[in-house]
Amino acid sequence: MAIEELKILQKTYDMIVYGYTSLRQYPKSEKHTLVAETKQCMYELLSLLIRANKRYYKKTTLQDIDIELEKLRYFVRLANALEFLPFKKYEYWSRLLNEIGKMLGGWIKSTK
């Protein structure tokens, strides 16, 4: 396991912890919709990262991670647009997602 791969796992873990605290601010009416979808997306992202770490051929799994990351970006953006998420929290959460995206891009390039 390369050091860069460990960093992306830790960064994703930290992002999930931050996301969880932010999701508590969403209205109760969103508990089974946007909150549930966002949580599911974060869990899937972490699961795929662990899977990619263990696989010999990583290309397809890395592409799946990229898709989940993009979905999560849209869920966070939607929460901000619907005013469930204050702008400062949106900004910080987006920054964490961008850092994960950059690390993922480097990982994808290293597998080519």
Side-chain angles (χ1 to χ4, degrees):
M1 190 180 310
I3 289 182
E4 192 65 28
E5 295 166 12
L6 284 172
K7 284 182 183 175
I8 194 170
L9 266 174
Q10 184 60 49
K11 190 63 93 175
T12 302
Y13 182 86
D14 294 343
M15 182 276 300
I16 290 172
V17 170
Y18 182 79
Y20 237 87
T21 58
S22 297
L23 288 172
R24 290 185 194 141
Q25 292 186 325
Y26 286 33
K28 285 186 178 183
S29 61
E30 294 299 319
K31 186 177 179 182
H32 298 291
T33 52
L34 191 56
V35 171
E37 287 291 325
T38 305
K39 282 181 182 176
Q40 184 60 38
C41 195
M42 290 191 299
Y43 297 146
E44 186 63 23
L45 186 63
L46 186 62
S47 173
L48 286 168
L49 282 168
I50 292 169
R51 191 176 305 152
N53 251 343
K54 299 291 182 185
R55 286 204 166 148
Y56 183 77
Y57 295 106
K58 304 174 186 303
K59 187 177 177 184
T60 308
T61 309
L62 292 176
Q63 289 170 340
D64 291 342
I65 293 169
D66 198 28
I67 291 167
E68 285 299 316
L69 189 62
E70 195 64 25
K71 276 174 50 182
L72 190 54
R73 282 186 174 129
Y74 273 97
F75 289 150
V76 171
R77 187 184 305 170
L78 180 63
N80 180 256
L82 296 173
E83 299 179 353
F84 302 155
L85 191 65
F87 184 75
K88 283 194 171 191
K89 286 199 171 209
Y90 164 72
E91 193 176 31
Y92 184 70
W93 200 348
S94 295
R95 195 175 320 130
L96 292 175
L97 292 172
N98 285 339
E99 288 174 18
I100 293 168
K102 286 178 186 175
M103 294 169 114
L104 179 63
W107 196 2
I108 290 171
K109 278 184 184 174
S110 74
T111 60
K112 290 183 180 176

